[in-house]
Amino acid sequence: MKEAVFQPQWYCDARYAELEREHVFEKLWLTAGFTSTLKKSGDYFTLAVYGREIVVHRLGEELVAYLNVCPHRGGVVATGKRGNTRPVCKYHGWAFRNGAALTGIPMASDFEADEAWRDKSCGRALRRVAIQVVGPVIFINLSENPLPLEAQFSEEILGWIRRMGTTSTSIQTDFRGDYNWKLNAENIRDALHVLFVHPTSFSGVMPDALNVLKQDRVLRVQETPLRRYGSFGAEKTPDLRALSLITDSHIDEGQYWYDALVDRCMPRESFLQIVLFPNTNLYSVAGRYYGMQQYLPTGPSDFHYRLTLAMPRMLRAFDASALLISIARSERCVIDEDSVILKKVQGNLAALAGQDFRFSQGDYERPLMDFMRYMADNIYSSRVESSRVESSGAP
């Protein structure tokens, strides 16, 4: 057992959310979605992080990403969450043929009276966002000088993503999360919560894991005087690449009617989870389908939850839309089971922010504590203390 690494205010204080925006979400690589969501030229989807909306757009054979902000007066190229469109501002018709520089203005003489400058872009353009594709997964980075993808994710992580191959049909569903995004990021690193939060949902497919709970009987604990546990992490701050991890849980689902119709290139008796720092849970369910859960923060106490499901490459074409919708309903039931608990956790942490309350963490929680330790040392560190001093006017 260890004294808790986290502080309740990390989950409800706007100052911490602002540090996360600046030093995590605008610096690091984030998953955007699956390539199969963008099949035809003009297909796009959007995602937003702290209110900044990014368009991921297929233009011909190229995938591009840019902020959904026209340099004229802040209009938009994309009006929906997903669809098919040309890179043209829907407010006044400015065109950006390659999703970058301005290439056309209708009624140009109304915008520029000087004919000598009328056909010049003068540097006006959509603001491009860095984009990379690994296997079937699209990554984006909002930084003007993004770090190499390999500096954030190990070769083991990238290798598993490449092994996923290509995807075919996919669907996206979006909903609101009424708690801090980190609670989900920590939850997917917590192996034991499944036994207590999802015993019914996983009883048929993960019997080995649930049998552990039956065999490991409850230990009767004696009431004893206060003793402080040791602190986690006397060693150095965890490396960024160590914050993404692989878990492989045995599942037994039997045979499905579409097994022979898809290229099951991932392990066939595993729920293989690729946890990607900072905010994504990418997984393969017996190689039959892939899931991507993204936790996109909107504020200190809420986030946008996006669930994307995709089929592997099809060996024989079939309409998988109804199948994926059915899977999405089942996945949403599991997500809702987590949300019931995490909303309560959010309320408790908000109520105890800044108060003297003792939390502790189990030795098995090393992945969570690594996550928390990295945030404390690299993202929060002395920055919040500095802002307190500045706001108080202290010398």
Side-chain angles (χ1 to χ4, degrees):
M1 197 77 80
K2 299 288 187 293
E3 294 295 322
V5 176
F6 67 91
Q7 297 292 328
Q9 51 268 29
W10 294 1
Y11 303 85
C12 56
D13 190 321
R15 291 172 297 183
Y16 290 93
E18 177 61 19
L19 290 171
E20 293 164 7
R21 180 193 66 78
E22 181 180 356
H23 298 286
V24 176
F25 289 94
E26 293 184 1
K27 291 281 181 68
L28 298 180
W29 289 96
L30 310 172
T31 56
F34 288 116
T35 54
S36 56
T37 308
L38 308 173
K39 292 184 176 180
K40 300 179 295 184
S41 183
D43 283 354
Y44 75 88
F45 63 81
T46 64
L47 69 159
V49 180
Y50 287 113
R52 298 182 73 181
E53 190 168 60
I54 302 102
V55 181
V56 183
H57 207 164
R58 180 176 288 282
L59 299 176
E61 296 301 312
E62 186 181 14
L63 289 179
V64 301
Y66 51 84
L67 296 185
N68 195 19
V69 183
C70 177
H72 171 212
R73 275 170 47 205
V76 297
V77 169
T79 56
K81 291 181 179 178
R82 58 193 68 88
N84 185 285
T85 191
R86 293 181 299 134
V88 174
C89 178
K90 304 306 183 285
Y91 197 6
H92 295 96
W94 286 25
F96 308 86
R97 184 180 304 129
N98 299 315
L102 176 65
T103 55
I105 300 179
M107 305 175 70
S109 61
D110 289 325
F111 285 95
E112 179 55 74
D114 189 338
E115 188 174 353
W117 292 100
R118 196 171 294 161
D119 64 348
K120 309 294 190 299
S121 74
C122 298
R124 288 168 296 183
L126 297 173
R127 183 175 291 183
R128 277 286 187 99
V129 172
I131 186 169
Q132 285 199 43
V133 175
V134 180
V137 177
I138 305 167
F139 291 88
I140 58 169
N141 192 308
L142 291 166
S143 173
E144 292 183 3
N145 298 294
L147 77 167
L149 193 69
E150 296 78 10
Q152 184 171 336
F153 303 114
S154 69
E155 181 54 38
E156 180 189 19
I157 293 287
L158 296 175
W160 274 111
I161 298 174
R162 293 188 197 101
R163 181 172 166 178
M164 296 171 77
T166 58
T167 51
S168 50
T169 306
S170 60
I171 62 169
Q172 287 180 345
T173 181
D174 301 272
F175 45 96
R176 176 186 168 92
D178 293 315
Y179 45 93
N180 186 279
W181 69 274
K182 294 191 296 298
L183 292 179
N184 253 122
E186 294 160 7
N187 191 59
I188 60 176
R189 291 167 167 80
D190 184 343
L192 291 190
H193 92 276
V194 174
L195 305 178
F196 301 95
V197 180
H198 310 294
T200 302
S201 297
F202 289 104
S203 60
V205 296
M206 299 179 70
D208 293 347
L210 294 172
N211 282 337
V212 170
L213 183 60
K214 295 177 182 177
Q215 295 166 6
D216 194 347
R217 296 179 179 276
V218 174
L219 176 67
R220 191 177 297 277
V221 176
Q222 302 176 29
E223 184 175 354
T224 58
L226 173 67
R227 179 177 75 88
R228 285 283 173 185
Y229 299 120
S231 298
F232 169 75
E235 64 273 18
K236 64 181 181 179
T237 303
D239 179 75
L240 175 60
R241 300 203 312 168
L243 301 178
S244 298
L245 54 97
I246 306 288
T247 65
D248 187 351
S249 304
H250 174 73
I251 58 174
D252 182 9
E253 289 194 308
Q255 299 296 312
Y256 279 71
W257 61 268
Y258 57 91
D259 282 355
L261 304 181
V262 296
D263 183 11
R264 296 172 67 191
C265 52
M266 295 291 275
R268 298 190 174 194
E269 294 185 350
S270 294
F271 176 74
L272 192 130
Q273 193 174 23
I274 308 172
V275 178
L276 298 173
F277 184 83
N279 67 324
T280 299
N281 185 19
L282 178 67
Y283 51 93
S284 164
V285 181
R288 291 191 177 97
Y289 72 88
Y290 304 142
M292 181 187 294
Q293 298 174 0
Q294 296 158 278
Y295 320 126
L296 302 164
T298 52
S301 301
D302 45 49
F303 69 100
H304 183 82
Y305 203 130
R306 171 165 288 177
L307 171 66
T308 307
L309 300 173
M311 301 298 296
R313 181 177 69 91
M314 290 185 180
L315 301 175
R316 196 165 67 213
F318 68 99
D319 184 355
S321 53
L323 171 63
L324 286 174
I325 290 170
S326 175
I327 293 171
R329 291 196 183 105
S330 298
E331 295 258 343
R332 182 62 193 270
C333 288
V334 175
I335 291 167
D336 287 346
E337 289 172 350
D338 283 323
S339 296
V340 168
I341 303 298
L342 297 180
K343 286 178 185 178
K344 295 290 188 181
V345 172
Q346 177 70 32
N348 286 338
L349 294 175
L352 291 168
Q355 297 188 34
D356 183 18
F357 190 91
R358 185 192 184 197
F359 290 99
S360 56
Q361 295 183 258
D363 292 337
Y364 84 96
E365 296 177 56
R366 176 69 186 247
L368 285 81
M369 291 188 278
D370 278 339
F371 177 96
M372 295 168 175
R373 174 75 185 276
Y374 181 88
M375 296 296 288
D377 291 355
N378 284 34
I379 310 305
Y380 309 143
S381 188
S382 60
R383 295 186 180 104
V384 170
E385 290 302 323
S386 297
S387 69
R388 285 197 185 109
V389 171
E390 289 171 8
S391 62
S392 67

